[in-house]
Amino acid sequence: EREESTRAPCLSLGLVLVTASALLFGIVAAFIKAIDVPTLVLQLVRSLIEWLLGIIAALVYRKKQQPTSNLVLLLFGPAELRGWLVLRAFLYWVFIAGWWFALASMPMGDATTIVYVGPVFTATFAFLFLGETVDWSFYPIVALDAVGLLLITQPSFAFGGPANDESYFLGALSALVSAVVAGLLPVCVRKSRMCLWTAVNHCSSALSALVFSPAAILAWLWYKPAAWAEASAGLGELLLFRNCALLVGATLVGFLGLSFQTRGYQLEQAARASVMTVLEIPFAYVLQYALFHEELSLLGLLGVVVVCSATVLNLVRRQQLNDAAAS
């Protein structure tokens, strides 16, 4: 009884932190969509800022909480967990790249809804790698998500009429890739749950700034020589006060959201915590309409309802299974 009474507040805190991170990421998405700069350039600059924040956060944590702690552990984690930290950093980089490209290519609400079918993939990977159970409810949830995505994207082969432009479907594909990767992220965090959040965040931003983003930009420049002009123009745009303020704001809010998400997943089961992010879907459409004046079709609205219903069903069923296991 004592163990359950001490564990319940941690579970509740985990859900609150993951939910708060989802709403913060919605605000970040609005900031990023408002900046007309190539995605890889944005990622590089944002990673450099977040890397600096990560070092400051580790130093402050050491001073306030553990003055005698090893700074290397606060920044890079235990040696036996660094492989998981590198994998998690790469997956997070891929997630952000696909997510931000989708935001630039399609309406914000559509991109958000596609990304947040991620709990289906989280449940799959949690079953494969963490041994968490997947019961009968998983299959209707997958079916509902598939129907919802069709209603949102409305491909011409299924609905007839003119096809959406190529940019929209490239964005939709990028969002779907991000959803798959997002399904793996909680698994990596759970595998490295003994590692302090300062090391998780620092490793993600440092590897993004020093390895992943530069490598991706070099590949982009090699594949498309004209990208030199796009990258240069993008850096010039970032020097404007409006874009600079938006990027700094996105980085600060995103850093806070990532910290909340990391700690939340460490306190809660991966599949259960991830479904709380459904709150970002209606929030994204509110921002889409209020800030970017992009309306939602009736079929698209029906698709949003279907995806949200699937996510809520997932949450309810997971709670039932947890209650049955506890009893």
Side-chain angles (χ1 to χ4, degrees):
E1 290 183 346
R2 175 176 295 179
E3 182 179 354
E4 288 191 10
S5 64
T6 58
R7 200 175 162 200
C10 291
L11 293 178
S12 299
L13 177 59
L15 291 178
V16 169
L17 289 175
V18 173
T19 302
S21 72
L23 299 181
L24 290 174
F25 289 147
I27 296 173
V28 171
F31 284 168
I32 294 302
K33 187 172 180 62
I35 306 174
D36 187 17
V37 173
T39 299
L40 293 177
V41 176
L42 274 179
Q43 271 193 279
L44 177 61
V45 177
R46 163 250 178 204
S47 298
L48 289 170
I49 298 173
E50 195 168 84
W51 183 27
L52 177 61
L53 291 174
I55 294 173
I56 294 173
L59 292 173
V60 171
Y61 180 86
R62 185 189 189 195
K63 182 177 180 180
K64 298 289 187 181
Q65 302 293 332
Q66 299 182 13
T68 60
S69 61
N70 189 331
L71 185 59
V72 174
L73 289 178
L74 292 178
L75 292 175
F76 301 102
E80 66 273 13
L81 295 178
R82 286 171 190 167
W84 284 108
L85 291 180
V86 172
L87 177 59
R88 193 260 184 204
F90 175 71
L91 291 175
Y92 184 69
W93 184 89
V94 174
F95 169 77
I96 291 294
W99 172 224
W100 286 9
F101 182 80
L103 288 172
S105 306
M106 63 192 304
M108 178 180 166
D110 291 1
T112 301
T113 306
I114 295 174
V115 167
Y116 281 95
V117 302
V120 167
F121 299 106
T122 300
T124 302
F125 294 131
F127 169 75
L128 293 174
F129 301 119
L130 299 180
E132 296 183 10
T133 58
V134 173
D135 76 329
W136 63 266
S137 63
F138 174 78
Y139 304 101
I141 289 170
V142 171
L144 287 172
D145 278 334
V147 171
L149 293 182
L150 283 175
L151 290 171
I152 291 168
T153 58
Q154 298 173 35
S156 57
F157 70 83
F159 292 87
N164 284 321
D165 58 41
E166 182 181 356
S167 175
Y168 182 93
F169 279 106
L170 284 176
L173 180 61
S174 296
L176 187 58
V177 169
S178 290
V180 175
V181 174
L184 271 172
L185 278 171
V187 176
C188 288
V189 173
R190 292 276 287 173
K191 282 290 186 179
S192 59
R193 62 183 178 272
M194 299 306 294
C195 187
L196 281 173
W197 64 270
T198 55
V200 175
N201 290 1
H202 172 262
C203 286
S204 291
S205 56
L207 287 169
S208 177
L210 301 178
V211 181
F212 304 141
S213 294
I217 289 175
L218 288 176
W220 178 41
L221 297 176
W222 174 82
Y223 176 76
K224 184 180 178 183
W228 281 104
E230 294 182 40
S232 299
L235 286 173
E237 287 291 324
L238 281 178
L239 294 178
L240 298 177
F241 176 78
R242 172 185 177 275
N243 290 335
C244 185
L246 286 171
L247 181 58
V248 171
T251 303
L252 292 173
V253 176
F255 184 81
L256 182 61
L258 183 59
S259 300
F260 282 5
Q261 183 193 69
T262 299
R263 187 56 180 155
Y265 279 132
Q266 289 177 336
L267 293 173
E268 183 54 273
Q269 282 189 0
R272 184 175 178 224
S274 64
V275 298
M276 296 306 293
T277 58
V278 68
L279 295 176
E280 186 177 350
I281 296 176
F283 186 52
Y285 279 104
V286 170
L287 294 177
Q288 171 183 310
Y289 181 79
L291 300 179
F292 303 103
H293 311 294
E294 295 172 332
E295 296 185 356
L296 179 64
S297 68
L298 289 177
L299 281 178
L301 179 60
L302 179 59
V304 173
V305 172
V306 171
V307 171
C308 288
S309 299
T311 307
V312 172
L313 174 61
N314 195 355
L315 173 62
V316 171
R317 183 57 181 164
R318 280 285 162 187
Q319 186 61 57
Q320 290 176 344
L321 291 174
N322 288 338
D323 292 343
S327 61

